[in-house]
Amino acid sequence: MGDDTSATPVRVRNRRGEGDRLRHEIVAAAVALLDETGDESAITLRSVARKVGIAAPSIYRHFPDQPAIMLAVVRNAFAELDERLGAAVDAADDTPRARLTALCQGYLGFAVAHPGRYRTMFGGFWMPDPDASSVTAEDLGALGEASMRRLAEALQDCVTAGCATSTDVPADTVALWLGLHGLAHQRAVAPSFPWPPDIEERVITTLAHFTADEGE
């Protein structure tokens, strides 16, 4: 009989005390499926189980339903985004304006590097019903808090340093994020549009309310 390349791989059973490893493998498999297909609907209990090499019922020991797996995937993606933002700020010149600019550019870079994950995080395609799944409204509301806090703190630093004129940092933080998200989304869905080469700078400068004087 010929080899069946579509057969489910056989997974080595965890040793005692390694139960959490399977949870991590389930999430990693779901992330891989998202990266491969760019489609969150490809992540099902059956497809994830097949990729890990386990029977689908084994997933229930770690996740009660498919939305719970997706929540873990999205949480991981937000953690990766926050890590990228932190690295971008750390690598920037040590001025408030440079740090905020680097943070915004790091956000846009993440969207380009991980389109499937970004689409699932912010595209509105993954919208679990808190009344029909294990995912709660509190779970959804907490997503992205760390990154939004970074953005608000960076903008406040610019205001304190006198290089930004915002008079309502919380509201302007939301406006700045919406501008970044809009640019990230539109560049993904309209790559042939003749985007101005300095469009990132224009969006960031305007929505961050940077002063004309770049001095600190």
Side-chain angles (χ1 to χ4, degrees):
M1 180 179 294
D3 292 338
D4 182 1
T5 58
S6 65
T8 300
V10 177
R11 179 181 180 276
V12 177
R13 182 183 296 274
N14 288 336
R15 293 175 294 182
R16 186 178 299 277
E18 293 184 340
D20 284 346
R21 193 181 80 179
L22 177 55
R23 177 184 175 86
H24 294 315
E25 290 177 0
I26 291 170
V27 176
V31 171
L33 285 167
L34 182 59
D35 287 344
E36 290 167 7
T37 66
D39 183 1
E40 60 277 0
S41 67
I43 301 174
T44 65
L45 295 179
R46 188 179 299 277
S47 66
V48 171
R50 185 182 303 114
K51 195 164 191 66
V52 176
I54 59 176
S58 298
I59 291 178
Y60 290 114
R61 299 175 186 173
H62 301 274
F63 297 96
D65 50 24
Q66 189 270 0
I69 297 176
M70 286 301 305
L71 177 63
V73 169
V74 173
R75 280 174 171 166
N76 275 16
F78 272 109
E80 290 172 344
L81 170 62
D82 194 58
E83 182 177 348
R84 185 182 186 113
L85 297 184
V89 171
D90 289 344
D93 291 340
D94 191 23
T95 64
R97 179 167 181 157
R99 290 196 296 269
L100 178 55
T101 299
L103 192 154
C104 294
Q105 291 172 338
Y107 180 97
L108 294 170
F110 179 88
V112 172
H114 304 289
R117 298 181 203 182
Y118 185 84
R119 177 175 176 269
T120 302
M121 294 160 68
F122 294 111
F125 296 95
W126 179 68
M127 293 293 291
D129 183 355
D131 295 325
S133 72
S134 64
V135 176
T136 68
E138 290 74 20
D139 290 330
L140 298 175
L143 293 172
E145 283 184 335
S147 297
M148 188 66 77
R149 187 162 52 248
R150 277 189 188 275
L151 196 60
E153 291 172 353
L155 180 55
Q156 181 61 63
D157 287 345
C158 287
V159 173
T160 301
C163 58
T165 60
S166 171
T167 57
D168 188 342
V169 169
D172 285 334
T173 298
V174 174
L176 177 55
W177 168 69
L178 286 173
L180 295 173
H181 171 65
L183 177 57
H185 173 76
Q186 287 304 123
R187 287 200 301 196
V189 300
S192 61
F193 183 81
W195 297 100
D198 63 344
I199 188 60
E200 290 188 10
E201 179 183 353
R202 287 175 176 272
V203 169
I204 296 168
T205 298
T206 301
L207 294 178
H209 298 276
F210 283 148
T211 60
D213 181 5
E214 296 188 11
E216 301 302 322

